[in-house]
Amino acid sequence: MNTAEIQALNDQYVINTYGARKLAITRGEGITLWDADGKEYLDCFAGIAVCNLGHCHPAVTEAIREQAGKLIHVSNLYYIEPQVNLAERLSKQCFAQKWFFCNGGAEANEAAIKLARRYWAQKGTPKPGIVTAEQSFHGRTLATITATGQPKYRQGFEPMMPGFSYVQFNDIAALENAITPEVGAVLIEPIQGEGGVRMPVEGYLRAVRELCTKKNVLLIFDEVQTGLGRTGALFAHQGYGVTPDIMTLAKGLANGVPIGAMGCTDEAATGFGPGMHACTFGGNPLSTAASVATIDTLTAPGFIEAAAKTGDYFLGRLNALAADHAIIVDVRGKGLMIGVEFKEAVSPLIGKMLDAGVICGPAGPNVLRFLPPLIITTEQIDRVMAVLSACLGELGW
Ligand SMILES: *Cc1c(COP(=O)(O)O)cnc(C)c1O
């Protein structure tokens, strides 16, 4: 099928939650994508921070092939070898010593929210309140749109879940006030992704950690977007030297195979016992085999360090561009999670870049977001920069 044919079937049979789009992408390799009409693109979005190793990475594709020929699915009524292999690998890489697997980011956050509530209930001191940040994004289920600090995601879906309250990101005094005796957990993204690639100010995450410890509440980091090498460390909190009690992962965890995970300390894990939470597909053999291959590739010596350097190069080039363009308000990011804030809405710019063969995306109306596969080279970044400059010129920006 060509693009027009795919679009026609989509419009006829698929519920219109995603609106009109320009592309149908049918093939990918590394950083390159091809659409249904054969046109080639340089991918600077990686799904949405999903294909961190690039498209169809051979190690992941091979792991999927091998597992698909052996066993695709069994339920969690049985032990699952690739699942325990994945849990062991993840535990060796970070603070979290216990894991629960599911299918995506919202489900991982649901698991974290349920665990936090159950943990305090179990202790005999129920405190169901959860504090989250304005401008955050935590998913599209009812509990996670409640957690998400952006009213546009909630409109028409009320009533929301009780027990959530919100503070400005980066305002530690506001957080201190918000942690009332009913609050049992704080849920934040170390760097806010969908909300505009908003960075924590110096010392903020550390202050959040200290406050949570002092007030005896659980700190949950939503690393669904920042995790898996995206910000120059395997997990963003490691780059900031701040450790949560619970962390959620999804997006890049299996380089494109649907998976989510909630990891926590041994202590936090005591909140869950048999029968308290479950997920039919969670941690199934296919997704966890793909994830094991993803983790092994990401944690190969030098891989993430190289991506961090590439990110510095990209930020440097964007900062230089910003110096010549007053319409650019700010360039920010860490590793290869980068936002460029404009005075204008960025959708025309994204459209022009797409026409010129570069795929990137927004983070809110005025922020252009780059989330390329971590294997992007400086030469490819030079090509992206040439396209970006030319598109700014065409727009008279
Ligand atoms: C994408 C995202 C989610 C939601 O993940 P889904 O897999 O779409 O449910 C949650 N939190 C953050 C930070 C995200 O970027």
Side-chain angles (χ1 to χ4, degrees):
M1 281 192 274
N2 63 26
T3 304
E5 290 163 341
I6 295 169
Q7 184 181 7
L9 280 185
N10 180 89
D11 292 353
Q12 189 173 353
Y13 293 114
V14 181
I15 292 177
N16 190 24
T17 54
Y18 300 105
R21 287 146 283 167
K22 279 192 175 177
L23 292 197
I25 293 165
T26 50
R27 191 159 69 87
E29 190 185 321
I31 192 135
T32 309
L33 290 170
W34 289 269
D35 71 15
D37 303 330
K39 188 177 165 191
E40 187 177 314
Y41 299 86
L42 210 157
D43 182 15
C44 278
F45 220 50
I48 302 176
V50 168
C51 301
N52 287 2
L53 302 176
H55 297 279
C56 299
H57 189 283
V60 180
T61 298
E62 187 47 42
I64 294 169
R65 280 210 175 99
E66 199 188 317
Q67 190 61 48
K70 201 154 65 176
L71 182 69
I72 292 176
H73 180 83
V74 282
S75 77
N76 285 296
L77 297 172
Y78 313 99
Y79 296 119
I80 298 174
E81 186 178 348
Q83 184 183 131
V84 299
N85 286 335
L86 177 59
E88 181 188 34
R89 273 172 177 71
L90 290 170
S91 293
K92 289 200 164 139
Q93 293 294 336
C94 69
F95 77 95
Q97 293 305 299
K98 290 280 191 294
W99 293 86
F100 177 85
F101 295 101
C102 51
N103 302 299
E107 278 189 2
N109 285 328
E110 289 271 352
I113 291 164
K114 282 182 71 177
L115 177 65
R117 287 190 170 172
R118 191 71 190 48
Y119 176 81
W120 294 117
Q122 171 119 329
K123 283 211 173 304
T125 50
K127 34 182 183 176
I130 314 264
V131 181
T132 71
E134 307 279 0
Q135 237 97 40
S136 59
F137 184 82
H138 298 295
R140 299 293 202 122
T141 62
L142 277 167
T144 59
I145 59 173
T146 309
T148 291
Q150 301 189 57
K152 70 175 177 187
Y153 292 115
R154 301 187 205 130
Q155 264 156 33
F157 299 115
E158 298 85 355
M160 291 293 105
M161 292 280 292
F164 286 80
S165 58
Y166 312 92
V167 293
Q168 276 297 323
F169 192 61
N170 280 331
D171 185 341
I172 197 73
L175 184 62
E176 176 139 36
N177 286 331
I179 303 178
T180 60
E182 292 76 45
V183 167
V186 170
L187 165 62
I188 55 171
E189 299 154 85
I191 298 172
Q192 294 190 317
E194 308 298 311
V197 191
R198 291 151 54 91
M199 311 297 294
V201 295
E202 180 72 37
Y204 174 67
L205 295 176
R206 178 165 302 281
V208 171
R209 171 71 272 178
E210 283 165 6
L211 196 54
C212 288
T213 304
K214 187 178 95 182
K215 296 229 180 189
N216 199 23
V217 304
L218 295 166
L219 175 57
I220 307 167
F221 278 162
D222 178 345
E223 291 235 30
V224 169
Q225 189 162 152
T226 54
L228 289 313
R230 178 53 52 194
T231 68
L234 186 58
F235 304 114
H237 71 265
Q238 296 170 329
Y240 288 106
V242 175
T243 306
D245 303 293
I246 301 172
M247 163 171 76
T248 55
L249 302 174
K251 294 200 162 90
L253 185 53
N255 210 50
V257 179
I259 189 170
M262 188 258 310
C264 64
T265 59
D266 281 315
E267 171 60 24
T270 61
F272 273 167
M276 287 172 195
H277 196 47
C279 181
T280 296
F281 287 125
N284 101 345
L286 189 73
S287 64
T288 49
S291 184
V292 165
T294 302
I295 298 296
D296 285 349
T297 308
L298 277 173
T299 55
F303 185 93
I304 290 176
E305 291 81 352
K309 273 203 187 132
T310 317
D312 289 343
Y313 177 81
F314 205 167
L315 275 170
R317 295 249 11 216
L318 288 165
N319 274 310
L321 183 79
D324 292 335
H325 293 271
I327 194 155
I328 299 178
V329 180
D330 191 25
V331 174
R332 54 185 180 252
K334 196 164 163 46
L336 283 164
M337 179 171 180
I338 295 175
V340 183
E341 186 172 342
F342 286 78
K343 284 181 188 155
E344 303 277 341
V346 292
S347 60
L349 177 59
I350 291 168
K352 278 210 177 298
M353 290 183 72
L354 198 59
D355 292 341
V358 172
I359 293 176
C360 52
N366 289 10
V367 177
L368 182 67
R369 181 168 42 154
F370 292 104
L371 301 164
L374 307 182
I375 57 166
I376 194 170
T377 64
T378 53
E379 290 75 27
Q380 287 162 333
I381 288 169
D382 291 344
R383 275 165 55 200
V384 173
M385 291 303 301
V387 167
L388 176 56
S389 292
C391 292
L392 291 179
E394 280 175 41
L395 287 165
W397 285 9

